[in-house]
């Protein structure tokens, strides 16, 4: 059974940086899109960034220029480098792999606060 495991969340001050990582355990193939979503309390889950197997990226307007998504196709991992963090970036961050099936991680909390 495939599981996605996120790591790297935590508490950071405004202006700080965090790096999130997501790795798949179990056999997983033909993942076309890897993505990060986030969900703040009382709000819907929204796309933060995505990257295709060919390396094409897409970012939410609110994070452009501050976040960078990257992936390792051989290892089936995806990272999200977050810089210049703002309090409004506070949310639970979920990784998502899309291919023949759709996989979700359990989420990792990111809190931006002084």
């Amino acid at each position: 059974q495939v599981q996605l495991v996120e790591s790297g969340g935590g508490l950071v001050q405004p202006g700080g940086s965090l790096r999130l990582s997501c790795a798949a355990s179990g056999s997983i193939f033909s993942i076309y899109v890897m993505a990060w979503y986030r969900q703040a309390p009382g709000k819907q889950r929204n796309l933060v960034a995505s990257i295709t197997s060919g390396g094409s990226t897409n970012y939410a307007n609110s994070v452009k220029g501050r976040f960078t998504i990257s992936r390792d196709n051989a290892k089936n991992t995806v990272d999200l480098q977050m810089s210049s963090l703002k309090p409004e970036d506070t949310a639970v961050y979920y990784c998502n792999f899309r291919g023949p099936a759709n996989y979700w991680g359990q989420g990792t909390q990111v809190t931006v606060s002084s």
Side-chain angles (χ1 to χ4, degrees):
Q1 183 175 353
V2 174
Q3 287 187 320
L4 302 186
V5 179
E6 299 112 335
S7 61
L11 172 65
V12 63
Q13 292 186 342
S17 298
L18 278 177
R19 187 177 185 89
L20 304 182
S21 296
C22 177
S25 64
S27 297
I28 188 168
F29 303 98
S30 301
I31 299 300
Y32 178 63
V33 177
M34 295 182 179
W36 286 93
Y37 287 73
R38 67 187 181 187
Q39 186 168 18
K43 296 187 177 181
Q44 66 181 13
R45 189 176 298 186
N46 292 319
L47 177 70
V48 175
S50 65
I51 183 167
T52 69
S53 55
S56 296
T57 57
N58 181 47
Y59 294 93
N61 287 335
S62 60
V63 307
K64 283 181 180 178
R66 300 188 298 122
F67 290 11
T68 302
I69 190 170
S70 60
R71 68 186 277 175
D72 186 324
N73 291 328
K75 296 181 179 179
N76 278 326
T77 59
V78 62
D79 291 348
L80 185 69
Q81 177 67 46
M82 305 185 293
S83 303
S84 302
L85 283 160
K86 305 174 182 180
E88 50 264 43
D89 294 318
T90 296
V92 177
Y93 284 69
Y94 298 89
C95 68
N96 170 249
F97 285 14
R98 277 175 272 160
N102 195 23
Y103 305 97
W104 288 94
Q106 292 298 308
T108 184
Q109 177 69 46
V110 171
T111 302
V112 184
S113 174
S114 55

